[in-house]
Amino acid sequence: MNKAQILVIEDEQDIRDLIAFQLKSEGHDVLSAESADKAVTFLERGEKIDLFLVDWMLPGSMSGLEFTKKIRSQSRFDHIPVIMITALTQAENIVAGLDAGADDYITKPFDLNVLQARVRVQLRQSAIQETSNKNLLDFDILKIESSKCRVWVEKEEISLTSTEFKILLLLAQKPGHVYTRDQFINSIQGDNIFVTGRTVDTHIAGLRKKMGAAANMIETIRGIGYRFKDAL
Ligand code: CA
């Protein structure tokens, strides 16, 4: 198992220290926070987190449940596993925790070995996800989530037509590669749409307009077609 950085949010110091000790003994880095507010300061300073362990009942402006909802609403964290820890054992609590976006749920009192095993499961699953679907294409200014057909420019989501999205994805999956108009036509043909080279140019013009600050990532190769700017 790879080493992960785990953020533990738990207000009871004994439990927090125990969890941290246990996770460190498995080779992980641990960041400890006694409240969600403190945890937010870790996130704001750009810490890379591989897994969140979140106690539900916390002092301060946010409960663990609210914290989980908050990170789930941000594209930077929406794919990172969250295990919720809580003394609330009712089914309705468990459902609320999972609905808020937690991946797993551990009730107090818990066995540290069970906690560790649950952490291993979540880290393994997120590693599989990361390598198997290359779902997120990240070019800093531009992010493309291929499975959900979503695109962000400078953290603002932009709305593309399905043809514009297909063109962008084709380009962005192979930066530096020049695509001819005919290749675009082949990839967007179907759907009973009649496509010509001129149509491709029109779609690219529309795409660039929507891409705003990232528009220059699509380069025109005169007389040939287009390519996505090579990062190098
Ligand atoms: Ca608590």
Side-chain angles (χ1 to χ4, degrees), residues 75-76 135-146 149-158 165 168 214 217 228:
S75 65
R76 200 179 132 210
N135 184 18
L136 185 72
L137 296 168
D138 190 344
F139 305 95
D140 283 331
I141 187 172
L142 174 77
K143 295 191 193 337
I144 304 166
E145 201 174 350
S146 54
C149 299
R150 297 177 73 186
V151 178
W152 292 263
V153 173
E154 290 182 317
K155 291 176 185 157
E156 283 271 60
E157 186 164 6
I158 61 170
F165 184 80
L168 178 61
M217 298 191 83
F228 199 78

Side-chain angles (χ1 to χ4, degrees), residues 78-126:
D78 63 4
H79 55 290
I80 299 182
V82 174
I83 300 176
M84 192 163 265
I85 308 168
T86 178
L88 303 169
T89 57
Q90 301 292 315
E92 65 206 54
N93 300 129
I94 296 174
V95 169
L98 296 174
D99 280 348
D103 298 282
D104 199 359
Y105 194 99
I106 298 174
T107 56
K108 291 176 179 175
F110 55 84
D111 181 286
L112 279 171
N113 291 316
V114 171
L115 177 82
Q116 246 182 353
R118 298 278 186 90
V119 166
R120 275 199 297 274
V121 168
Q122 290 304 323
L123 290 176
R124 193 163 59 228
Q125 282 176 353
S126 72

Side-chain angles (χ1 to χ4, degrees), residues 144 160-174 179-181 183-185 187-189 195-197 199-208 211 218 226-228:
I144 304 166
L160 301 180
T161 66
S162 75
T163 303
E164 289 166 347
F165 184 80
K166 280 182 194 167
I167 290 173
L168 178 61
L169 191 61
L170 185 69
L171 285 163
Q173 280 172 334
K174 259 194 182 178
Y179 286 94
T180 65
R181 289 184 174 75
Q183 287 174 309
F184 285 111
I185 292 169
S187 79
I188 59 184
Q189 199 80 263
V195 190
T196 64
T199 323
V200 171
D201 293 339
T202 308
H203 284 305
I204 297 242
L207 182 56
R208 278 181 171 147
M211 286 169 72
I218 298 178
Y226 299 92
R227 80 171 163 211
F228 199 78

